Amino acid sequence: TKESATATGSGSVSTTNRVVKIGNRFISASKPARPWIWAPFTSSSRTDGALFYHWVRANVEYPDYPYARFDIHLDPLTYTTEEYNSWIQDLDMGDGKGAVKKWTKGETDVLMELCRVYELRWAVIYDKFIMRMGYHHKRNVEDLQHWYYTIGAILLRKRLEKAVGAEVAATAGAASTSKDSDGVNAAAEKAALTSLAASIKPFGSSSLSSHQPFIQSIGTGTTNQKLFDLQHEKERRLLLDTLWNRTKEEEKEE
């Protein structure tokens, strides 16, 4: 705190100017404080319309709760019954030895719901999955992750194939009914789309054994090739468990 005194006239009149340091700034305490009010507010991040109160500066309006922008959620991975029956149900993601059975639609639906609710917090998802499906399940957290990401890759690939096929068919119809330059442009577009459709290779059974199928998003250059390597993840977790379960004698030997 800094104090200064001034004297004027014949008499001595002392005035005190209190200055408060806040951070790197000095603010005069003689100035009137800015008014604050106890105001209600709602947040767009809540769906129940709950009303809360907080202190805000008077005459300052907030269109939304400032921290609502941090409420970011994962886009849920969903599929229709037709998509599941056509693209997913015939996949065999077991271990080939009978220890891990083929995924059922009930198990898959539960997994997708848990991933949506807990937003890929896999430790929680695994715990809830075991509680829902029973402790007799021999699936571990890596199996859940691999199945989830594999379904995502399949849906992306198949939906892209379907969209490109529909576009090729529409362009072919336009090319057959158009003439001159319009026909040439439509034919060129059809050729480009046909080439794109041919570049989208169908799924092979071998590609699903350890990695997700290769996906490249058109226009973005992004890919999920080897996004989740099941075998590598199992080996990594096995090494981590071995390290965690060392005895005191084994630690001293190192």
Side-chain angles (χ1 to χ4, degrees):
T1 303
K2 296 182 178 180
E3 295 183 3
S4 60
T6 59
T8 59
S10 58
S12 177
V13 180
S14 175
T15 60
T16 302
N17 181 23
R18 296 180 61 86
V19 180
V20 179
K21 183 178 181 181
I22 300 178
N24 295 325
R25 297 184 302 165
F26 290 95
I27 299 177
S28 175
S30 61
K31 293 182 179 180
R34 289 174 294 189
W36 290 69
I37 59 174
W38 184 246
F41 74 94
T42 58
S43 175
S44 61
S45 63
R46 298 183 65 100
T47 58
D48 56 0
L51 185 66
F52 303 95
Y53 289 83
H54 62 169
W55 287 102
V56 293
R57 291 180 183 176
N59 302 322
V60 176
E61 295 183 1
Y62 296 95
D64 191 13
Y65 184 56
Y67 291 96
R69 66 181 184 273
F70 298 111
D71 186 48
I72 302 174
H73 295 281
L74 178 75
D75 291 334
L77 183 60
T78 60
Y79 48 78
T80 64
T81 302
E82 180 183 359
E83 288 176 333
Y84 180 88
N85 294 336
S86 300
W87 303 334
I88 301 174
Q89 73 170 354
D90 292 332
L91 293 176
D92 186 5
M93 300 301 294
D95 62 353
K97 301 177 182 179
V100 179
K101 296 182 179 180
K102 179 180 177 181
W103 282 83
T104 64
K105 187 175 187 301
E107 292 174 324
T108 305
D109 291 343
V110 169
L111 176 61
M112 295 300 126
E113 176 65 14
L114 292 176
C115 289
R116 181 190 66 81
V117 173
Y118 298 105
E119 299 189 323
L120 302 187
R121 297 176 177 89
W122 289 108
V124 180
I125 292 171
Y126 178 70
D127 182 65
K128 299 295 183 181
F129 183 84
I130 294 300
M131 291 179 63
R132 290 274 295 272
M133 305 308 299
Y135 288 91
H136 63 279
H137 270 270
K138 296 184 179 180
R139 305 191 194 281
N140 50 39
V141 65
E142 301 90 53
D143 295 323
L144 270 59
Q145 291 173 315
H146 187 232
W147 186 231
Y148 176 85
Y149 290 122
T150 297
I151 289 178
I154 290 173
L155 292 176
L156 177 61
R157 173 71 65 96
K158 291 296 186 179
R159 287 169 180 171
L160 180 60
E161 290 177 358
K162 187 176 181 179
V164 170
E167 190 69 20
V168 169
T171 306
S176 61
T177 58
S178 301
K179 296 181 180 179
D180 301 331
S181 61
D182 291 339
V184 173
N185 293 336
E189 185 176 355
K190 176 188 175 183
L193 289 171
T194 303
S195 176
L196 175 60
S199 67
I200 305 176
K201 298 179 181 179
F203 291 108
S205 58
S206 60
S207 64
L208 295 177
S209 59
S210 60
H211 302 307
Q212 295 181 72
F214 176 80
I215 291 292
Q216 186 167 1
S217 178
I218 304 302
T220 64
T222 57
T223 177
N224 72 338
Q225 186 180 24
K226 297 185 180 180
L227 181 62
F228 187 83
D229 188 334
L230 178 60
Q231 187 60 34
H232 179 271
E233 182 64 16
K234 287 185 175 182
E235 293 174 357
R236 184 194 69 82
R237 190 172 293 273
L238 178 60
L239 293 174
L240 180 61
D241 291 340
T242 303
L243 183 64
W244 177 261
N245 294 321
R246 288 181 304 172
T247 63
K248 294 294 184 180
E249 291 74 14
E250 291 174 336
E251 291 182 1
K252 290 180 179 180
E253 288 180 1
E254 295 183 0

